[in-house]
Amino acid sequence: MKYNTHVSNPDVILIGSGIMSSNLGAMLKRLKPDLKIQLYEVADEIAQESSNAWNNAGTGHAGICELSYTPNQNPDGTVDVSKAIEIFEQFEQSKLFWGFAVRSGMISQPRDFINPVPHISFVHGQKQVDFLKARFQAMSAHQFFREMEFTTDRETIRSWAPLLVEGRDDRPIAATKMNSGTDVDFGAVSRKLIHWLSEQPGCGVATSHRVMDLVRTAPGWRVTVKNLSDQSQIKSQAAFVFVGAGGGSLPLLQKSKIAESRGFGGFPIGGQWLVCNKPEIVSKHQAKVYGQALDAAPTMAVPHLDTRMIDGKASLLFGPFAAWTTKFLHRHGSFLDLPGSVKLDNVGSLVKVGLYNLPLVRYLIQQGTQTMAARMKVLHDFYPAAKAADWKLIDAGIRVQAIKKEDGQAGIVHYGTEVVTDADRTISALLGASPGASVSVSVMLSVIQKCLPNLLESMAGRSMMKQMIPTYDENIQATTSAERFLEVDRLAMHDLFG
Ligand SMILES: Cc1cc2nc3c(=O)[nH]c(=O)nc-3n(C[C@H](O)[C@H](O)[C@H](O)COP(=O)(O)OP(=O)(O)OC[C@H]3O[C@@H](n4cnc5c(N)ncnc54)[C@H](O)[C@@H]3O)c2cc1C
């Protein structure tokens, strides 16, 4: 759906219509119904970049199956699961907010964007089997993962996900499973929330509008926007700007010239999937199955075999594979994006990233030059009987990894999500990718707490936030609050799945 509505003198400008801006816009409007909000999106439709269902894996990252969130095995053999617990709690906030949006009538038909899909971790070889068992012991001791099951039994694994054992040799295998995992269409929920926002008084949403420049003014920022339909230019001013432009955030942040943006660079990594639409194969797999990372693969490139529900149709996706690109955006990017982002303040970090991360460089070269046969070999680790003729290669989204100089050290690649905010707290920009979309509500909550804390100071603001995210001021990680966790989880599950 296309939009072209404009509000005069907005209080807040949102750049981009992905999962970040959509959550932020919806939360802000609920917190202060008279807030004037303007959203600009360069594409002619909402959420067509990273948040679009085909451009990401749609995993509701809750730390259940992703072995990359539990990489560290202690000398005594135990596994550190703290990162998995943290991600679980953050995704729980997303479920709670989306559940509230359904309950309060802002959006409807949650099955359009979230569906229960078991999350499975799957490994082979004795070393990995031992690791998975130790991980299971640590995970299942925590209230979040209490229902997790572990098995080394082939028939049990067959009953969970038959493709994993079809045609497999007799090397040891193991798996864990939790049924409460999810598949999420982040694009669909963005579209629903932005549609709701567009219908609120004092809100404007304009697609085919590219933000070209940002200049600091006395009470905030003046934003120059190009209407791509007639090439006209608009200037809009607001006290607070959120740059939720995905891959387009870094160039805009650089244009803002805020001191906090200095030293940041971006390195784009394209993604590709193998997709299978054959009903007789698709119907045999109803799970998201994550394995171990391949050698130097970045954490976000851990292979997985997933059931996807997109536009009501099930398919199987395997990947991601990395691809070379110099574009920062899939649809509206330019091959000049990467060279154009190299500035005096970040060139050193970018060069050092190449020099100090040679395994990553080698991984990217290997990925970019690999054949279909090589990709099938990776798939065979999960689905040994897979045939190339049943799968086709498609492009996924682009992740612009944030690169930063830290304490004069080599450039560090940030695989997580980075929020860059100026000292005045009048502009905030989101860089980086994974586990981005799943933790978007939690990340946007932190933007509100940091930049617009006045919205949470009144009784009414706090009460609304408590309704939207009942745990926003609680620590539900603490094992002592097991009952409280079950109570809020039941609420989210009821709102989303009935
Ligand atoms: C291959 C891959 C797999 C992933 N898998 C997962 C997963 O399984 N689970 C998960 O939680 N996350 C996953 N992610 C990460 C997730 O997709 C992103 O973190 C999330 O979608 C980012 O949302 P966003 O709103 O920041 O950006 P986007 O969704 O990219 O939205 C940014 C918007 O800004 C617009 N824009 C850009 N520049 C301008 C401008 N100048 N003016 C106006 N508009 C502009 C763009 O057109 C776009 O619509 C994956 C990412 C990739 C690439």
Side-chain angles (χ1 to χ4, degrees), residues 272 294 320-324 363-378 393:
Q272 290 177 320
L294 308 168
F321 298 98
W324 304 330
Y363 165 79
L364 289 173
I365 293 172
Q366 177 274 328
Q367 287 279 297
T369 52
Q370 75 184 328
T371 57
M372 183 67 175
R375 291 190 174 96
M376 289 305 293
K377 197 160 167 271
V378 187
L393 191 67

Side-chain angles (χ1 to χ4, degrees), residues 15-21 40-43 45-52 55-61 186 209-212 244-249 252 269 271-273 288 290 300 304 320 329 332 396-399 417 430 432-439:
I15 307 176
S17 68
I19 191 71
M20 299 293 169
S21 294
Y40 295 113
E41 166 55 54
V42 61
E45 303 269 350
I46 299 298
Q48 295 303 306
E49 280 289 336
S50 294
S51 302
N52 176 287
N55 289 344
N56 62 70
T59 303
H61 285 303
F186 298 105
H209 280 67
R210 182 190 282 274
V211 173
M212 310 291 291
S249 288
L252 289 172
I269 301 179
Q272 290 177 320
W273 307 116
K288 281 178 177 280
Y290 276 61
M300 50 78 172
H304 41 100
L329 291 169
H332 285 266
I398 296 169
R399 300 186 211 232
T417 304
L430 195 122
S434 242
S438 302
V439 301

